[in-house]
Amino acid sequence: MLDCVIIGGGPAGMNAALVLGRARKNIVLFDEDKPRNSVTHESHGFITRDGIAPAEFKRLAKEDLQKYPSISLKTEKVTGLKKENNIFLIKTSSGNLIQSRKVILATGVKDQLPSIKGLKELYGKSVFHCPFCDGWELRERKLVVVSEMEGITHMVKLLTNWSDDIIVCSNGKKILTGEEKELLASKGIRVLEDEIAYLHGEEGQLQEVVFTNGERLERNGGFVGMMSKQASPLADIIGCKVNENGGIITDEFGRTNIEGVYASGDTSTMPMAQLIFAASDGSRAGIAVVSDLLAEDF
């Protein structure tokens, strides 16, 4: 019988494991090793680790966890999760069935890029999603914001911290209100609603936005508005409630509506996505598990 199983090996899952391991709890962390930031060359905004490659961040995290004998790391997919008599049964892709008193879901999300030719090749190199993560690297560039979603105005406003040359392209969609267009125009920000044929660039570096009408727009960096969805069906399988953005609803310490199930990282805080937020969430969930186990045992 394990004290806790953590599903997901990103910064949230890893930090939860660190807290639990240091509290001498017997845990297993399952990690498919399919991180959301696999296309990213550098991660930013985490003090002492600013600019680190995601793979190196993960290597260092594993190195930290290996100091604690009660932590076991397994590169294996969890395929089933069920609660019986206050005990969780966790089934893996190899057919193993594990019992645990608590479960932390840190399975993350999957990004869904707009279906625009050339975008996938540029994403993570010169086109990004989070201004706080990558705005500094694209400072003072000619930026394009590509989005088919309403509510993109907030991102555009944020980007004025790093560039005064911003154009919004909605790929044929009318996503902005007249009031929003007027506001952006007052700041010198154009909105182009023509359909995009493709994004042109070389070696991952954006050069032009090419429209179906033949027009071409020179740009050398950009951001994209996109949807995200849960990377794993486990939250749905076990019955966790989600918010309007698809993130698992939790209390301030990561407890879900299912007693004994906790959620942390992108899987619960969608759409906010930074390493430092995820790691903090994992720490809080780990503390909650330790506290709740103690409450049951005393």
Side-chain angles (χ1 to χ4, degrees), residues 87-235:
I87 298 299
F88 293 95
L89 305 178
I90 299 98
K91 187 177 181 181
T92 71
S93 55
S94 62
N96 290 326
L97 192 64
I98 295 170
Q99 297 184 25
S100 180
R101 296 174 66 184
K102 307 292 180 186
V103 172
I104 296 177
L105 298 176
T107 45
V109 298
K110 288 183 178 179
D111 295 322
Q112 298 176 293
L113 291 171
S115 298
I116 298 173
K117 185 178 178 182
L119 177 57
K120 186 177 180 180
E121 290 75 18
L122 300 169
Y123 186 62
K125 301 179 181 70
S126 61
V127 178
F128 303 94
H129 174 58
C130 172
F132 285 108
C133 299
D134 300 289
W136 172 261
E137 282 62 43
L138 299 188
R139 65 192 182 279
E140 299 178 7
R141 293 198 193 185
K142 297 178 179 180
L143 299 182
V144 62
V145 176
V146 177
S147 180
E148 300 172 355
M149 302 165 45
E150 295 179 356
I152 198 65
T153 302
H154 179 64
M155 178 191 285
V156 179
K157 290 178 180 178
L158 280 176
L159 288 172
T160 60
N161 285 289
W162 295 281
S163 174
D164 57 6
D165 188 346
I166 302 169
I167 297 177
V168 180
C169 294
S170 65
N171 192 27
K173 309 294 191 300
K174 297 189 181 299
I175 59 173
L176 298 177
T177 66
E179 185 178 340
E180 286 174 317
K181 289 179 184 178
E182 289 180 11
L183 175 63
L184 295 180
S186 72
K187 300 296 183 181
I189 299 170
R190 286 195 289 157
V191 176
L192 303 180
E193 296 179 333
D194 303 299
E195 186 176 350
I196 298 171
Y198 61 92
L199 301 181
H200 173 67
E202 294 183 3
E203 297 182 354
Q205 298 304 305
L206 175 65
Q207 295 175 339
E208 289 182 312
V209 180
V210 183
F211 298 93
T212 55
N213 61 10
E215 297 282 337
R216 307 176 83 94
L217 174 68
E218 180 187 352
R219 300 283 93 181
N220 55 13
F223 286 82
V224 58
M226 59 187 178
M227 298 292 291
S228 298
K229 65 177 183 178
Q230 292 288 335
S232 166
L234 293 174

Side-chain angles (χ1 to χ4, degrees), residues 215-285:
E215 297 282 337
R216 307 176 83 94
L217 174 68
E218 180 187 352
R219 300 283 93 181
N220 55 13
F223 286 82
V224 58
M226 59 187 178
M227 298 292 291
S228 298
K229 65 177 183 178
Q230 292 288 335
S232 166
L234 293 174
D236 187 51
I237 289 172
I238 199 68
C240 293
K241 293 180 180 179
V242 299
N243 61 29
E244 64 275 9
N245 294 315
I248 301 171
I249 297 172
T250 70
D251 71 5
E252 60 186 350
F253 281 96
R255 300 180 182 95
T256 72
N257 60 296
I258 305 298
E259 188 174 355
V261 177
Y262 309 73
S264 63
D266 294 351
T267 197
S268 62
T269 59
M270 292 168 60
M272 188 65 75
Q274 281 196 304
L275 290 182
I276 199 161
F277 283 124
S280 174
D281 261 9
S283 181
R284 283 196 291 263

